[in-house]
Amino acid sequence: MTSAVLAFLIAFKPFLLDVVASPGPLARATVVVETPALREAGAGPAIASRVKSSAAAVLRGERIADDGGPDDPVLAVTVRPLARGEIGYASTITVRKAGRRLPQSYQRCSLCTESELVARVERSLVRLAPRLAALVRE
């Protein structure tokens, strides 16, 4: 009997450890990335996809799933080109939940590439993530 129990535990050890080591998300949020002002061929959807991937990774680090419903917070990222023919991007990150809003994060990225823009937005999301986690769990 003891050997059967030991064999069972050894056989299922990887599954048991996986459940304990990687708990699922505790909360949910919706990620919205808006890039309609980017008119360069394919730039808007490409940047939106990369920013959404980065946001999902940052949220996973805080144990927040990015498939929120109507009652969950909305993390909105807006990216647009700089005004008056300048080269670069501006981004705004806003978090809203039931009429409450965290302070916005605004960045101006002059002469930067799409990759640099995505990296800057990701850094802002990392700084914002703990406050978002607190808001989500209220």
Side-chain angles (χ1 to χ4, degrees), residues 13-35:
K13 180 181 176 184
F15 300 108
L16 295 172
L17 289 178
D18 187 42
V19 169
V20 171
S22 59
L26 290 177
R28 301 195 177 296
T30 300
V31 177
V32 177
V33 181
E34 301 167 343
T35 59

Side-chain angles (χ1 to χ4, degrees), residues 8-118:
F8 174 79
L9 290 175
I10 290 170
F12 283 94
K13 180 181 176 184
F15 300 108
L16 295 172
L17 289 178
D18 187 42
V19 169
V20 171
S22 59
L26 290 177
R28 301 195 177 296
T30 300
V31 177
V32 177
V33 181
E34 301 167 343
T35 59
L38 301 178
R39 291 185 176 82
E40 302 161 13
I47 289 174
S49 175
R50 291 177 65 190
V51 168
K52 188 157 176 90
S53 270
S54 290
V58 169
L59 292 178
R60 272 193 308 273
E62 291 291 331
R63 295 183 62 202
I64 301 171
D66 66 331
D67 59 350
D71 297 328
D72 295 315
V74 175
L75 172 68
V77 181
T78 304
V79 178
R80 60 192 171 286
L82 293 178
R84 296 179 292 269
E86 295 179 73
I87 298 171
Y89 304 95
S91 64
T92 305
I93 302 172
T94 306
V95 177
R96 299 181 301 268
K97 179 183 179 185
R100 286 187 59 197
R101 179 181 259 189
L102 290 178
Q104 287 186 345
S105 170
Y106 174 79
Q107 294 188 62
R108 189 172 187 282
C109 187
S110 183
L111 296 175
C112 68
T113 65
E114 292 174 10
S115 293
E116 291 169 326
L117 166 73
V118 172

